[in-house]
Amino acid sequence: MASKYSKDLLLTMHRKMYLIRRFEERTDQAYKQQKIAGFCHLYIGQEAVAVGTNEALRPDDYMLSGYRDHGQPLARGSDAGMVMAELFGRGTGYSKGKGGSMHIFDIEHHFYGGYGIVGGQIPLAAGMAFASRYRNEDRVTVCFFGDAAANQGAFHETFNMAVKWKLPVIYICENNRYGMGTAIGRVSAEPEIYKRASAYKMRGEAVDGMDCLKMYEAVKDAVEYCRAGKGPVLMEANTYRFRGHSVVDPAVYRSKDEVEHERKNDPIPKLKEYAIKNKLATEAEFDAIDEEIKAQVDAAVKFADESPEPSLEELWRDTIVEPGEEDVRPRERVLGTKVKWPSYPSGQELKVTWDLEPRQQAEREDKKAGLAR
Amino acid sequence: MPELMYREALNQALAEEMERDANVFLIGEEVGRYNGAFKVSQGLLDRFGSARIIDAPISELGFAGLGVGAAMVGLRPIVEMMTWNFAILAMDQIVNNAAKLRHMSGGQLRCPIVFRGPGGAGGRLSSQHSQALEANYAHFPGLKVIAPATPADAKGMLKSAIRDDNPVIMFEGERLYAIKGEVPEGEHVVPIGKADVKREGKDVSIITWSRMYYFAEQAAQQLEQEGISAEILDLRTLRPLDEEAILATVRKTNRAVIVEEGWSLAGVGASVVDIIQSKAFDELDAPVQRVTGLDVNMSYATNLENATQPDAAKIIAAVKKVLYREGA
Ligand SMILES: Cc1ncc(C[n+]2csc(CCOP(=O)(O)OP(=O)(O)O)c2C)c(N)n1
């Protein structure tokens, strides 16, 4: 039977996963050469989650993440050199070197960051989804967070509102089984995170996050549900980080056997085998892509390394918006590329025609519950 | 000019700005059907509907963050905190997200949001419900902090806050909502960052904000009878501080008393003293005095509650001290 996936899709997925893998290997190297500093969390092993998700989205859907945030923007199409420059703390980085590894933002590609407080991005995603609903747009917001973030109050507070207000947001818990050195089961009454959705009458499901195609299918289905206005989804992507929590963590809290076992599950060869077995691509085609990516990442590192630090005047920019000041468009600023930037309807054009609590329905329910108005 | 209560002035500002700009919405506990815990949003649900006047669950962190997310993509949320005591639960979203988004994104994002609600002592509410917390927020770059004292300023500054492209923290006063004053109708916008000389004087400057302004006024009236002419500078905005106005009044009177409802250590007044001593030291005829809330938690008993807070008598004593008058 022929595969239902196009060659183009599979090669794109491979290209992106391999880009993330290679990018992160070079990040690790550069950190050890002290070109990168601070907290730096690698995405190696989890590539299928970001890539499978991204290919199921529209480019104008919103996405945001925690501090393990190099993979998602690369999947979205961010410039690898400018992401690397951000890690190097250079003025040519996406945030001019002000954010670093944990705060990648690329608004042109609708990647809204990069947050260092565990779970802090969860309410933001609901707000972005609220804005889409408010303006009657059909875009969805995808928010990634770790398994440990599911124990934050923000998780519970937000899900309650997101369901009650039918917000078009997909929460993807990247369950890599550890929050730093703590196995999630040690600190969680319900370690299968997706099951917590039921407490909020929310759609919840688990998916194999080590398989790019399964991620793709699951997110596609969730997006359809969300775009149709049926409300939020909690998806638990079961995945594994092959490296420590951050580049300096030797990860002694888990056994070598466990890691070896999980490495057999590597999403990159898995997708490749699928494509070759289904005769959608040849080994040679994969090799050619890999060579291209290696050159792309070499160029990214070189770009970062040769870029200057931000100027000291930058200290006094980007804290408060002055009247009439425009937003910074990174690729335009750094590469001179003309970019498409999000624009929103003005408050005079916008018509808010929907109800969060439709009056008649609310009155009926009040009556049933014996409430007075 | 019509006379309005502080809460009515705020209500007018909300309604006018929501009328003017459909991107503006209000979210908070009890803001809709209940018409607001302090009735600031009276009648707005009926006028603007439930998509724009949103009754939130008791999830301060959650709905503060929801507001920030909406602001990141072009809406202009107003997040009402039932009181600032409860906003402590939302501090992470205000400080780590709202105040830092523009910086972390290298200027790609802006966050036009207003967090507003009553601050300061309530009446007989003990320590968890009676705190002046503005100094906490004044500390953070990336925020603006306002605390208007009069109904006219409340209206004009809320309008400015809603139109501002930055996160604005607005301290109203639990004890100010019923205060009356003349309020200009329609387009009355008071700029953020500008202090206001509420009373002209020549012997001493009393620098204050929010509810303490009224104690300063009482003190100034009594002092006048003793032949002492006090100027009152109402800061109105605590971040950014209006340095020019602070220095101007001190250069005029050469003596200053700073009145702050909150605690002394690391208070806003400490920063005002710093501005004065570093930039107008030679103009001073006496060390600057501060009148602040006592360095204790607020009690329930009437006598303890009163003793904890600044009042006109304490201000008068401080004024006499900077004037080297008898009995001070
Ligand atoms: C509120 C908060 N507490 C603690 C930390 C320190 N910290 C950083 S990452 C982390 C573990 C989070 O694990 P998880 O959410 O599973 O994400 P993962 O690192 O596995 O991607 C901790 C405790 C933090 N950044 N924020």
Side-chain angles (χ1 to χ4, degrees), chain B residues 216-288:
Chain B
E217 189 59 48
Q218 271 176 22
Q221 284 170 20
Q222 289 181 37
L223 288 163
E224 192 172 26
Q225 300 186 348
E226 300 178 38
I228 297 168
S229 155
E231 174 147 307
I232 301 178
L233 182 70
D234 177 5
L235 289 177
R236 302 194 290 192
T237 300
L238 306 176
R239 173 180 270 276
L241 280 170
D242 187 349
E243 268 196 34
E244 233 172 86
I246 293 167
L247 294 174
T249 188
V250 171
R251 287 188 177 128
K252 181 175 171 191
T253 66
N254 312 108
R255 297 167 205 271
V257 168
I258 301 159
V259 187
E260 172 165 14
E261 180 173 354
W263 298 291
S264 163
L265 185 78
V268 174
S271 287
V272 177
V273 175
D274 177 54
I275 290 169
I276 296 172
Q277 71 80 22
S278 64
K279 300 199 172 148
F281 186 77
D282 292 337
E283 318 265 347
L284 285 175
D285 287 343
V288 178

Side-chain angles (χ1 to χ4, degrees), chain A residues 41 67-68 116-118 146-149 152 176 178-180 241 245:
Chain A
H41 313 84
Y67 45 81
R68 197 179 295 285
I117 306 299
V118 168
D147 39 281
Q152 280 283 19
N176 58 19
Y178 296 88
M180 286 188 75
R241 59 169 155 76
H245 166 68

